[in-house]
């Protein structure tokens, strides 16, 4: 829920990771790429929430920008006991939320993919508005999205949750709060 004010995930149910920021290097992003994404204090609290994740950026040209939560310290997290993910968000653009499986992560980054270009996973687009809204994405929602040939979503093999901003979705100013797994 980010009220602890750090970028680490709550160590629970074998989860062990952190939130971080990445981009294609063609524009500026706050915080800068390869940084931990620490919560920012909300000017106006959202219910009991006083802190949330916040990132903003300029116009990107290649693949865009993203922030993500590593779920198992570079390993694999079994989320099959859950039905999907939910979170609160607001902003000025479209985000593309997805999961990354260990099969999509290159070997040198702790995954099992040995291909020159590892397949991308399914992304679920969400048009944000300036007010906080709750969003729920089931594993079935993600399974219904087009993905690389041969790719099949397996929640038992997750490595990360991702929030992607494609070049056409930039510039951006995005807030995310209270990320959780949904019950089955």
């Amino acid at each position: 829920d980010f009220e602890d004010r750090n970028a680490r995930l709550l160590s629970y149910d074998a989860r062990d990771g952190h939130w971080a920021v990445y981009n294609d290097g063609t524009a500026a992003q706050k915080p800068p790429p390869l940084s931990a994404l620490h919560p920012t204090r909300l000017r106006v609290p959202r219910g009991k929430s006083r802190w949330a994740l916040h990132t903003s950026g300029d116009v990107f040209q290649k693949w865009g920008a993203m922030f993500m939560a590593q779920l198992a310290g570079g390993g694999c997290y079994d989320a099959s006991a859950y039905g999907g993910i939910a979170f609160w968000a607001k902003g000025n653009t479209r985000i593309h939320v997805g999961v990354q499986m260990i099969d999509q992560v290159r070997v040198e980054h702790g995954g099992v993919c040995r291909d020159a270009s590892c397949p991308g996973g399914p992304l679920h687009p969400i048009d944000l508005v300036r007010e906080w809204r709750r969003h729920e994405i089931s594993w079935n929602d993600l399974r219904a999205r087009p993905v690389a040939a041969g790719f099949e979503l397996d929640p038992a093999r997750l490595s990360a949750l991702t929030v992607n901003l494609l070049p056409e979705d930039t510039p951006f100013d995005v807030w995310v709060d209270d990320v959780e797994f949904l019950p089955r």
Side-chain angles (χ1 to χ4, degrees):
D1 65 5
F2 308 117
E3 299 306 304
D4 60 2
R5 302 182 221 169
N6 68 54
R8 294 210 44 84
L9 298 182
L10 175 66
S11 291
Y12 176 77
D13 190 32
R15 288 190 291 270
D16 178 33
H18 65 280
W19 288 91
V21 177
Y22 303 90
N23 68 48
D24 66 19
T26 61
Q29 182 179 7
K30 292 180 188 174
L34 304 178
S35 296
L37 183 55
H38 293 280
T40 300
R41 186 168 188 77
L42 296 171
R43 287 189 188 122
V44 177
R46 187 189 57 76
K48 294 181 180 179
S49 186
R50 304 286 184 264
W51 297 83
L53 296 181
H54 178 236
T55 184
S56 59
D58 295 326
V59 178
F60 285 85
Q61 302 296 320
K62 293 180 183 173
W63 57 264
M66 71 182 299
F67 57 101
M68 65 189 294
Q70 295 290 335
L71 296 173
C76 185
Y77 176 69
D78 183 354
S80 61
Y82 304 101
I85 58 173
F87 57 93
W88 288 83
K90 70 176 184 172
N92 66 344
T93 192
R94 172 178 281 187
I95 59 175
H96 302 264
V97 179
V99 294
Q100 187 176 63
M101 290 182 6
I102 196 76
D103 311 81
Q104 300 166 265
V105 180
R106 294 189 50 81
V107 170
E108 61 266 23
H109 299 293
V112 298
C113 181
R114 296 185 186 281
D115 295 339
S117 62
C118 299
L123 298 174
H124 185 80
I126 296 174
D127 292 318
L128 299 180
V129 295
R130 299 202 181 275
E131 300 82 33
W132 287 104
R133 295 230 173 114
R134 181 174 161 84
H135 303 277
E136 294 185 359
I137 303 170
S138 73
W139 300 143
N140 287 335
D141 291 337
L142 288 174
R143 284 185 181 107
R145 309 304 298 175
V147 294
F151 178 89
E152 186 175 327
L153 176 66
D154 182 357
R157 299 181 57 77
L158 299 187
S159 66
L161 300 177
T162 66
V163 179
N164 303 269
L165 295 125
L166 304 179
E168 59 268 24
D169 304 320
T170 64
F172 61 92
D173 186 8
V174 173
W175 291 82
V176 171
D177 197 11
D178 291 339
V179 179
E180 64 182 313
F181 283 105
L182 291 169
R184 282 186 88 115

